[in-house]
Amino acid sequence: MKTYGRYPVVAWRGEGCRLWDVDGKGYLDFLAGVAVNNLGHCHPKVVAALQEQSSRLLHCSNFYHIPQQIELAEWLCNHSFADRVFFCNSGAEANEAAIKLARKHSRERFGEGRFEVVTALASFHGRTIGTISATGQDKVKAGFDPLVPGFRYVPFGDMQALRKGITPQTCAIMLEPVQGEGGVNIPPAGFLEKVRALCDEFDLLLICDEVQVGCGRTGTLWAYEQEAIVPDIMTLAKALAGGPPIGAMLTTESLAESLGPGTHGSTFGGNPLVCSAALAALHTIVDDGVLDNCRAMGTYLVQKLAQLQGKYSFIREIRGRGLIIGMEMDIDGGPLVTAALERGLLINCTVGKVLRFVPPLIVGCAEIDEAIRILDDVLATVEAP
Ligand SMILES: Cc1ncc(COP(=O)(O)O)c(C=O)c1O
């Protein structure tokens, strides 16, 4: 179906930070499958894990125990606040699971009528009917009424508005620690800590949607680690398996009690193939210096973009954390994305005027220099407004 506005590129092969099309034209990939290929394309350890697992067992029902799923859940719990993990196949599904858990837990603990989730304006939580209802952007909801009731939206990063958004019906606050699709929005320092305190004050669950910014993207394994907080629920997807589709909802032992046998499920969730890839990807991120590289290259890329900002007056702001970086401009970014693609650089544009850079976390200085040269060429063609 025509649900995507596609560029005229037929993808064929990938290696590291590069993608090649069927005609052999190479692209420097600073979009990384929208923050999926954190280890670059076809990382050898992820490919080896897939090859090894695929020769033994491709799929097995969740009626039975799956060792790779157990090992992955243990790894995630040992490296996060969580005690329990539910596996699914995408970010939207992970958020659906989080919303179901928040509602069910609240009903069991406080009785009926406490089901609302407060989310942020400009947030993005997925494309299912439930997660577009949770999303604070009208454009993703248009035409799909009636939406799921029970969501309220407040400006991102605004504590006063958040406090006002809480009603006797509220059961949870759901936030991206850094907003991705909404324009790479970084909240004020200390925001997450204050949100945590607010949740504690009103007995609300804090749900961190780390679908885009988890798995090392911000320079720490989880974005919530950048402030001294722990969420009650965290959702992951995108980069978790280094390319293959996966989603996960992580939570504490006591909350997990609310989703007992038969309350939720997924045929493919926690499939042995994808779990073996995720284990390889996560081990690589933590053991191979990927987080250090992400922080160092994030600083380098911001510096280089700031030099471009000094040169082009229509660049308004460079903002980012680790290797999720936005460049806000006074002009429409769409034509710049097309011009960059023609010159062999893949980037994208969110909310019309913010170019988003989410290269693989293994990117090096030489690749960043090359991307900046292409971008400079592209920006030089723009007539200042
Ligand atoms: C923060 C966030 N949550 C949820 C989603 C939805 O993930 P998926 O497309 O895997 O359903 C996305 C996708 O961009 C996202 O960025």
Side-chain angles (χ1 to χ4, degrees), residues 7 139 313-316 327-340 347-357 375 378-385:
Y7 293 98
K139 70 174 188 214
S313 60
F314 54 84
I315 300 177
R316 196 178 275 187
M327 185 169 105
E328 185 167 341
M329 304 172 301
D330 293 327
I331 55 168
D332 180 12
L336 302 186
V337 171
T338 306
I347 51 173
N348 91 324
C349 176
T350 62
V351 295
K353 293 187 171 174
V354 181
L355 293 186
R356 175 173 44 176
F357 304 90
L375 197 61
V378 168
L379 296 173
T381 65
V382 173
E383 283 176 27

Side-chain angles (χ1 to χ4, degrees), residues 1-6:
M1 288 180 57
K2 297 180 180 172
T3 53
Y4 306 100
R6 297 188 199 261

Side-chain angles (χ1 to χ4, degrees), residues 14 20 55 75 117 120 126 144 156 170 180 187 197 240 267 305 324 326 378-379:
W20 285 269
S55 62
W75 194 99
V117 179
F144 297 111
F156 185 55
T170 311
L240 182 53
T267 297
L305 290 170
I324 175 162
V378 168
L379 296 173

Side-chain angles (χ1 to χ4, degrees), residues 234-291:
M234 172 169 71
T235 55
L236 301 173
K238 285 194 183 275
L240 182 53
I246 187 170
M249 191 259 302
L250 285 71
T251 191
T252 60
E253 184 73 55
S254 65
L255 283 175
E257 289 293 314
S258 295
L259 287 184
T263 56
H264 199 46
S266 163
T267 297
F268 285 123
N271 162 293
L273 190 65
V274 74
C275 287
S276 60
L279 276 164
L282 290 168
H283 278 294
T284 307
I285 288 175
V286 168
D287 301 339
D288 290 8
V290 173
L291 296 173

Side-chain angles (χ1 to χ4, degrees), residues 18-19 24 31 64 71 78 80 92 112 120 147 155 158 169 190 224 233 242 263 313 334 349 354:
R18 295 195 193 261
L19 183 77
L31 183 57
Y64 315 108
E71 205 186 321
N78 289 338
S80 74
E112 263 182 55
L147 297 176
D158 181 339
Q169 283 81 49
Y224 76 76
I233 300 173
T263 56
S313 60
C349 176
V354 181

